[in-house]
Amino acid sequence: MATSLITKTLNSIKNPKLLRPLTRQFTSIATVQSENPSSSFTYADSDSNSSSSCNDSNIYMRKGPPNCNVRGEKDSSSVTMPMSSMTGSIVGRRFYKQVTTREADDGNGWNVMLDYRTLKTPSKRPLKLPTLALAKAIAAEWDYQQTDGIRPFTMPLMKLACTALDRVPLTRPMIIEHLMKKFSQDLVFCRAPEDNVLTSGVYERQVEKFDPLIDWIKSEFGFKPVVHSCLFGGKQEEGLVKAIENLLKQTDDYQLAVIDAIASAAHSLIIAVGIVKGKLDIEEAIELIRLEEDFQVDTWGLVEGGHDIDIADLRVQISSAAVFLGLSRK
């Protein structure tokens, strides 16, 4: 997504490094269910009960395909985005002219409006956002969509907002459990063999780049992590495990959504926590995540269509999550 579309909304972020182009494959289906002629747009996951006869590549506003709604029932009030959005492709023509923001009816948050329709989450609740800055950023994603089609993969902030509003409140214990289950295998704790001629260079870089973060963890949480050279990880002190787990439990839904997204992309909960706590910026985090692969690229060269795409994809995932975090803070 063009950086110019979102730059105006980032005044609340002090770190200019957060201003990065944001694009990301977004595998979801967008569905609109109208309760009346002024229907609301709902960003929703696919419905496993959808009829195969409704595999139309167009978006229908107010009136769906003849005699067929998203569940294959006779209904003229449903609006469905096609299954092609699951692959990150264009999902139909733009059906709205103007994108705006407005304060929520209860005065607690902000909504995004597509013409007169209120944007909704997959659970069909209004997409109520904590700050005007975040609402404007998501509005910019929708306003960026071209007349020839809506591209969900260019809306990473919308994805994170739906995750924070719908998924995190219902699955918070499972998210934390999943993050902690992989904590012992954290990228920051792993070291390449020092005595191997092929990996000694990687080890030296890890010591140079990871050790300052290890020292920060000790000063922040009171326990120094155990480093290891085993692919299956090494056991960490119980005090450190409890400290990190307690930190996750104290996060709000937006912070936990960001931590989960970054940890998944980085294979490191420590790097995710470092970004949320302000220890790492985007560029520093990406450097740590790509440390070993960048060493291999420096040694053997970059594979076009491989390494360059991986770098772009990682930058999108980390920068969009960091920007989302900054915009969501009141």
Side-chain angles (χ1 to χ4, degrees):
M1 187 182 74
T3 306
S4 59
L5 292 173
I6 196 172
T7 302
K8 294 181 181 179
T9 70
L10 301 182
N11 293 331
S12 61
I13 296 181
K14 298 179 180 180
N15 187 352
K17 294 184 179 181
L18 296 180
L19 304 180
R20 300 293 183 191
L22 302 178
T23 55
R24 171 88 161 98
Q25 283 202 343
F26 194 1
T27 57
S28 297
I29 284 184
T31 304
V32 182
Q33 295 288 350
S34 63
E35 299 174 356
N36 50 56
S38 297
S39 61
S40 298
F41 190 92
T42 301
Y43 206 84
D45 291 330
S46 60
D47 191 334
S48 59
N49 296 322
S50 298
S51 170
S52 59
S53 62
C54 294
N55 289 334
D56 198 308
S57 61
N58 297 321
I59 300 173
Y60 295 86
M61 288 305 303
R62 295 188 185 174
K63 186 175 182 180
N67 301 319
C68 185
N69 67 6
V70 70
R71 293 178 175 84
E73 304 166 343
K74 290 184 177 181
D75 189 359
S76 62
S77 65
S78 64
V79 184
T80 307
M81 300 289 280
M83 288 294 294
S84 57
S85 66
M86 294 293 288
T87 62
S89 57
I90 299 175
V91 296
R93 287 181 294 180
R94 174 170 170 163
F95 55 84
Y96 53 91
K97 293 182 179 180
Q98 187 177 16
V99 185
T100 58
T101 59
R102 75 172 186 184
E103 191 173 9
D105 293 338
D106 61 2
N108 184 25
W110 298 85
N111 296 138
V112 176
M113 306 295 295
L114 305 182
D115 293 333
Y116 53 85
R117 305 172 186 90
T118 302
L119 196 59
K120 291 189 174 182
T121 70
S123 64
K124 297 179 175 58
R125 297 181 304 174
L127 186 77
K128 189 163 65 173
L129 302 161
T131 65
L132 177 59
L134 182 57
K136 285 186 174 294
I138 292 177
E141 290 184 331
W142 284 95
D143 197 37
Y144 168 74
Q145 304 308 306
Q146 305 300 305
T147 55
D148 66 332
I150 294 175
R151 296 162 172 81
F153 53 87
T154 63
M155 295 189 280
L157 300 181
M158 178 68 184
K159 175 184 177 181
L160 286 165
C162 290
T163 299
L165 291 171
D166 281 352
R167 175 174 170 251
V168 174
L170 296 177
T171 61
R172 169 177 283 270
M174 288 186 289
I175 294 172
I176 294 175
E177 180 184 1
H178 176 74
L179 289 170
M180 295 309 302
K181 187 178 295 184
K182 297 188 175 182
F183 181 60
S184 64
Q185 298 173 282
D186 197 286
L187 174 69
V188 175
F189 304 155
C190 184
R191 293 288 184 273
E194 181 181 7
D195 56 354
N196 188 308
V197 65
L198 296 177
T199 60
S200 59
V202 177
Y203 175 83
E204 292 172 359
R205 286 197 186 184
Q206 289 173 331
V207 170
E208 176 187 356
K209 299 296 183 179
F210 286 164
D211 279 8
L213 191 56
I214 293 288
D215 294 337
W216 172 77
I217 295 170
K218 181 181 179 181
S219 63
E220 186 76 14
F221 299 102
F223 300 91
K224 186 172 183 178
V226 177
V227 298
H228 56 81
S229 298
C230 177
L231 293 176
F232 299 102
K235 184 176 177 61
Q236 298 296 326
E237 286 191 53
E238 190 65 23
L240 178 60
V241 174
K242 287 294 184 182
I244 296 295
E245 186 174 7
N246 288 336
L247 172 67
L248 297 179
K249 290 179 178 179
Q250 294 169 8
T251 58
D252 61 36
D253 292 340
Y254 292 88
Q255 290 172 332
L256 188 56
V258 167
I259 289 174
D260 187 39
I262 295 176
S264 176
H267 305 289
S268 172
L269 177 55
I270 291 298
I271 289 177
V273 170
I275 290 178
V276 171
K277 300 280 283 184
K279 170 62 178 176
L280 299 173
D281 61 26
I282 293 172
E283 294 301 329
E284 290 170 339
I286 291 174
E287 182 183 12
L288 295 179
I289 297 166
R290 288 196 48 82
L291 187 147
E292 183 174 353
E293 189 167 348
D294 282 344
F295 177 83
Q296 301 299 335
V297 169
D298 292 343
T299 303
W300 308 106
L302 182 142
V303 177
E304 293 184 3
H307 291 129
D308 50 352
I309 293 177
D310 290 343
I311 293 169
D313 182 61
L314 179 65
R315 185 174 295 279
V316 166
Q317 295 182 64
I318 302 301
S319 59
S320 61
V323 167
F324 180 84
L325 175 67
L327 292 175
S328 66
R329 286 173 169 164
K330 296 181 180 180

